[in-house]
Amino acid sequence: MERQLKRKSLASIMGIVVLVGAGGFIAVRHARADGAKSAEPAAASQVKIDNFTFTAQSITVRVGTEVTWVNRDDIPHTVVSQDGAFKSKALDTDDKFSFKFSQPGTYHYFCSIHPKMTAEVVVK
Amino acid sequence: MNPTDRDEIVREHDHNHNRDGVDRRGFLKCMAWAGAGALCVMQGGVLTSYSLGETAKKKMNGELSFVQLSDSHMGFNKPANPDVTATLQVALDRIKALQTQPEFLIHTGDVTHLAKPEQFDTVAQMLKGTPGQDIFYVPGEHDMIDDNGKGYLDRFGKNTQGAGWYSFEKKGVHFIGLVNVMDLKAGGLGTLGPEQLEWMEKDVKHLSHSTPIVVFAHIPLWTVYEDWGWGTQDSGQALSYLKKFGSVTVLNGHIHQTMQKVEGNVTFHTACSTAFPQPQPGAAPGPGPMKVPAEQLRTLLGITDVNYVRGKHSLAVIDSNLA
């Protein structure tokens, strides 16, 4: 028993040391990140527009997630929900559009300039 | 792409005695010619193409001559062509240098890149200085961005119907400007819509069968390449109204390269952009701007000149590049 306790406390002490170490590291990283640019919220997801294609074509996210589209093409595109839930302005090269999904469901969307470009967001 | 090639194409057109005026070899040559500006000469109802280099030198014999400009994409400034104003100016200078001055210009859309007021104004201002005459526009999808075409229609929509369609007569030729870039549906191609189709049916009903018809619209009215949306889903309906006519010429833009096809009484032709080339169908992962070495760019941009000769079956269409 005594030996076991000793081992346990040793293990916890080591664990604390590791945690403190990691915590210190995380704190430093955060400070740096804050100094440069605020970190993206954890519940975020990105869709790239590349070569007239939404990538990925289908993403699944949790309710409350903010999805950001970024246009990597030399040609403007739009992000338009087929049921009218969201509609971006024309996104020129590197422009972004974000929408927070607060209701579950499957959202089909397309580029209203190049309607062959279609994709979906599944919100669970 | 050199003058000799162009000569040969003209010769092939001249020597072709089929009613359609284009044989397969000629068609493929036209494809290889992609990017050249063109003069369209309407000769007896069939469109015949000549290079602008050629037409600048000789006088065309026709009752009516006009030039098609397309896809000036004012505001585009990416590496494929950082100065679309300069290349549009070269195109306009070529038009001014033509032996036979066109009576008017048509612009088959994507006047601007982002439908910004200053982009429309720049093009309108530059085209004002061209010889003559009226300029007839139809919108491209880029001219409809964000405001559903309001900026376009405010400037160019006078005397048009609906989203900007209209018709007019010039020397016995009936011209129809169509809009196939409004209310595009997910997964679909270009669309004319029932209201415009109904108008078009009425518009041509009273015309005699011998009236030469020229239809112009931004997105091709034949399916060039469905995967890239290069077609118009209800164009079949529009073309069915034109079956009774002996000579129908369809002029489109959108695909930034020249292509020609003949189907019965209808000759289809697409024009080059004055801004940047796009890849041949399926030749790239997507239809984005084709980046080419600076010295090649102008060989892939161009204009189209059209000439109509009464009593013949086709218009002569001449593409020529800006090199």
Side-chain angles (χ1 to χ4, degrees):
Chain A
M1 279 296 277
E2 234 184 69
R3 280 188 104 149
Q4 271 186 337
L5 271 174
K6 265 189 188 167
R7 266 189 204 159
K8 268 192 181 169
S9 48
L10 188 62
S12 348
I13 289 164
M14 285 178 74
I16 288 162
V17 171
V18 169
L19 274 175
V20 168
F25 179 66
I26 287 163
V28 171
R29 285 292 297 263
H30 264 260
R32 276 185 191 162
D34 289 340
K37 198 176 151 191
S38 63
E40 286 199 336
S45 188
Q46 199 180 67
V47 177
K48 269 187 244 165
I49 306 173
D50 232 332
N51 259 323
F52 290 67
T53 309
F54 294 107
T55 311
Q57 292 262 296
S58 176
I59 58 167
T60 302
V61 298
R62 287 191 186 157
V63 170
T65 303
E66 185 173 82
V67 177
T68 299
W69 286 263
V70 56
N71 180 16
R72 299 289 189 214
D73 270 348
D74 285 347
I75 288 290
H77 295 294
T78 62
V79 179
V80 179
S81 149
Q82 289 186 38
D83 66 2
F86 52 90
K87 183 180 181 186
S88 79
K89 285 195 165 278
L91 308 176
D92 204 357
T93 308
D94 293 331
D95 283 354
K96 290 178 182 176
F97 168 71
S98 297
F99 182 76
K100 190 171 178 177
F101 290 87
S102 48
Q103 297 292 327
T106 300
Y107 297 79
H108 298 282
Y109 67 92
F110 72 119
C111 166
S112 59
I113 311 171
H114 309 102
K116 277 280 166 190
M117 296 170 58
T118 57
E120 63 177 18
V121 177
V122 180
V123 182
K124 285 185 175 168
Chain B
M1 301 297 164
N2 57 46
T4 319
D5 285 345
R6 289 187 210 132
D7 287 345
E8 200 173 339
I9 296 162
V10 174
R11 268 203 308 278
E12 283 191 2
H13 282 283
D14 289 349
H15 289 176
N16 186 317
H17 298 294
N18 294 336
R19 210 175 138 276
D20 65 30
V22 180
D23 60 14
R24 175 148 180 82
R25 196 163 152 238
F27 173 70
L28 290 173
K29 288 241 173 196
C30 285
M31 298 275 293
W33 218 20
L39 174 77
C40 314
V41 182
M42 196 167 199
Q43 287 174 336
V46 181
L47 211 71
T48 311
S49 305
Y50 301 90
S51 80
L52 266 195
E54 279 303 301
T55 52
K57 289 178 222 148
K58 64 181 176 191
K59 211 163 164 64
M60 302 306 296
N61 297 313
E63 279 83 37
L64 177 64
S65 170
F66 63 95
V67 168
Q68 177 190 8
L69 278 174
S70 202
D71 295 87
S72 42
H73 281 265
M74 190 52 61
F76 179 85
N77 58 6
K78 300 297 184 303
N81 182 1
D83 193 352
V84 298
T85 310
T87 47
L88 175 59
Q89 190 55 55
V90 172
L92 298 177
D93 291 344
R94 289 296 160 89
I95 295 168
K96 280 181 200 158
L98 287 171
Q99 269 283 324
T100 306
Q101 280 295 290
E103 293 190 33
F104 57 90
L105 305 184
I106 62 172
H107 193 306
T108 44
D110 284 356
V111 176
T112 67
H113 196 56
L114 290 164
K116 300 228 184 292
E118 63 272 20
Q119 297 172 351
F120 282 119
D121 291 343
T122 300
V123 176
Q125 205 57 41
M126 287 175 76
L127 264 60
K128 256 187 198 164
T130 53
Q133 1 47 32
D134 298 322
I135 301 156
F136 297 95
Y137 293 88
V138 284
E141 71 281 1
H142 284 255
D143 303 318
M144 295 286 179
I145 285 176
D146 291 343
D147 68 351
N148 237 2
K150 193 182 174 299
Y152 170 87
L153 288 171
D154 284 351
R155 282 170 184 77
F156 308 126
K158 274 178 204 144
N159 306 319
T160 68
Q161 320 258 332
W165 57 79
Y166 56 100
S167 67
F168 60 92
E169 306 272 338
K170 289 275 182 189
K171 296 192 175 170
V173 179
H174 189 75
F175 289 81
I176 306 171
L178 297 178
V179 180
N180 55 1
V181 295
M182 277 294 277
D183 296 326
L184 302 180
K185 299 284 182 286
L189 303 171
T191 311
L192 295 162
E195 192 189 342
Q196 185 170 202
L197 287 168
E198 198 179 310
W199 167 84
M200 185 183 166
E201 186 176 19
K202 280 187 198 146
D203 182 68
V204 299
K205 217 170 193 172
H206 68 283
L207 299 172
S208 87
H209 298 195
S210 59
T211 309
I213 306 283
V214 175
V215 180
F216 57 106
H218 179 64
I219 298 177
L221 292 173
W222 49 297
T223 304
V224 175
Y225 192 55
E226 190 166 352
D227 286 358
W228 287 356
W230 289 1
T232 302
Q233 53 200 31
D234 47 4
S235 60
Q237 186 70 35
L239 294 170
S240 74
Y241 305 143
L242 306 177
K243 275 190 179 139
K244 66 172 184 176
F245 298 101
S247 161
V248 179
T249 303
V250 177
L251 301 173
N252 300 121
H254 187 60
I255 67 170
H256 297 214
Q257 59 196 288
T258 57
M259 279 198 193
Q260 191 162 325
K261 185 180 96 139
V262 179
E263 209 174 275
N265 60 333
V266 186
T267 304
F268 298 88
H269 192 95
T270 63
C272 280
S273 164
T274 64
F276 57 85
Q278 281 179 280
Q280 289 181 10
M290 205 161 78
K291 293 181 188 78
V292 296
E295 64 274 16
Q296 265 180 39
L297 177 67
R298 289 182 187 188
T299 66
L300 297 171
L301 306 177
I303 59 176
T304 301
D305 200 347
V306 189
N307 195 23
Y308 167 62
V309 180
R310 199 182 304 275
K312 294 200 176 178
H313 281 293
S314 68
L315 288 83
V317 181
I318 303 175
D319 297 307
S320 67
N321 66 28
L322 303 183

